[in-house]
Amino acid sequence: RLERMVQGTWEMQVRINLEEAVLPRLSADQLDRYCRVVGRQHLDEALAGGHGAVMAFLHFGQHWFLPVWCGHNRSTLNQVAAAGRPPEDKWQPTWFGARVFDARDAWFDALPVQFLPLDTPHRVLVRALNRNELVGIAVDGRIGSRFAQVRFLDRDALFAPGAIKLARIAGAPIV
């Protein structure tokens, strides 16, 4: 059983690496051929209200397809993410480490998504929602200082309530 789990972990990492190599090069039409989005009507209905929508998601499986699809096919997506390099006082890069982050920065820049740092003020996110845009937040990410313990897939998981708080403040639906 442990060997199957380890093998599955490696296979998922390979898929994620392939996803990162391919996604910036895909057009909206190509992405639609490779990615089937179920429930598009929920996103359409949320944006029809004119208050934008908070897109809450998990780092689970091929988690980059949905933000990229939204960036190509819908309203502007403002993704709150730990994009970019760690602060220099936390990490002194080696030559190789710096090149890895150069490649990662180029990858983020090539996506049809507006990345916002984790410390982006709430007012910036509310303004994006007021422009009827999407704000993406990973509820299992590093944002927040308090987390709610919930049952997810028969396990206890910690989720940050920031997406719910933002939606409540802005009067925006969550998708």
Side-chain angles (χ1 to χ4, degrees):
R1 179 181 163 140
L2 179 60
E3 287 180 20
R4 282 196 323 259
M5 288 175 60
V6 170
Q7 181 65 31
T9 300
W10 280 110
E11 288 174 5
M12 179 58 69
Q13 188 60 49
V14 167
R15 284 189 209 111
I16 290 170
N17 291 346
L18 287 171
E19 175 180 296
E20 290 179 357
V22 171
L23 274 177
R25 294 176 174 87
L26 294 178
S27 68
D29 291 337
Q30 290 170 319
L31 192 60
D32 280 339
R33 282 191 299 234
Y34 298 117
C35 180
R36 183 175 63 113
V37 177
V38 178
R40 288 177 163 181
Q41 72 277 10
H42 301 297
L43 183 56
D44 293 338
E45 289 170 12
L47 292 174
H51 300 286
V54 176
M55 191 171 80
F57 68 95
L58 302 169
H59 293 100
F60 189 76
Q62 309 307 113
H63 63 273
W64 278 113
F65 270 102
L66 186 57
V68 172
W69 180 86
C70 288
H72 274 310
N73 290 286
R74 295 293 182 259
S75 175
T76 299
L77 174 61
N78 302 277
Q79 178 64 49
V80 180
R85 298 163 194 262
E88 288 187 19
D89 63 331
K90 305 280 185 207
W91 179 66
Q92 295 298 316
T94 63
W95 178 89
F96 180 75
R99 301 299 78 74
V100 168
F101 270 94
D102 288 345
R104 187 172 186 251
D105 291 345
W107 184 79
F108 278 117
D109 290 344
L111 296 175
V113 177
Q114 173 67 42
F115 288 98
L116 302 173
L118 297 178
D119 60 354
T120 298
H122 277 100
R123 69 181 177 277
V124 172
L125 304 176
V126 170
R127 287 180 191 141
L129 293 167
N130 289 339
R131 291 189 302 268
N132 204 32
E133 297 175 357
L134 295 170
V135 173
I137 298 177
V139 296
D140 64 337
R142 296 178 276 182
I143 298 173
S145 56
R146 290 181 284 188
F147 295 87
Q149 184 173 336
V150 297
R151 291 296 287 172
F152 181 73
L153 298 176
D154 292 327
R155 300 229 191 299
D156 289 331
L158 296 177
F159 289 165
I164 295 168
K165 289 178 182 179
L166 176 62
R168 189 179 68 227
I169 290 168
I174 298 176
V175 291

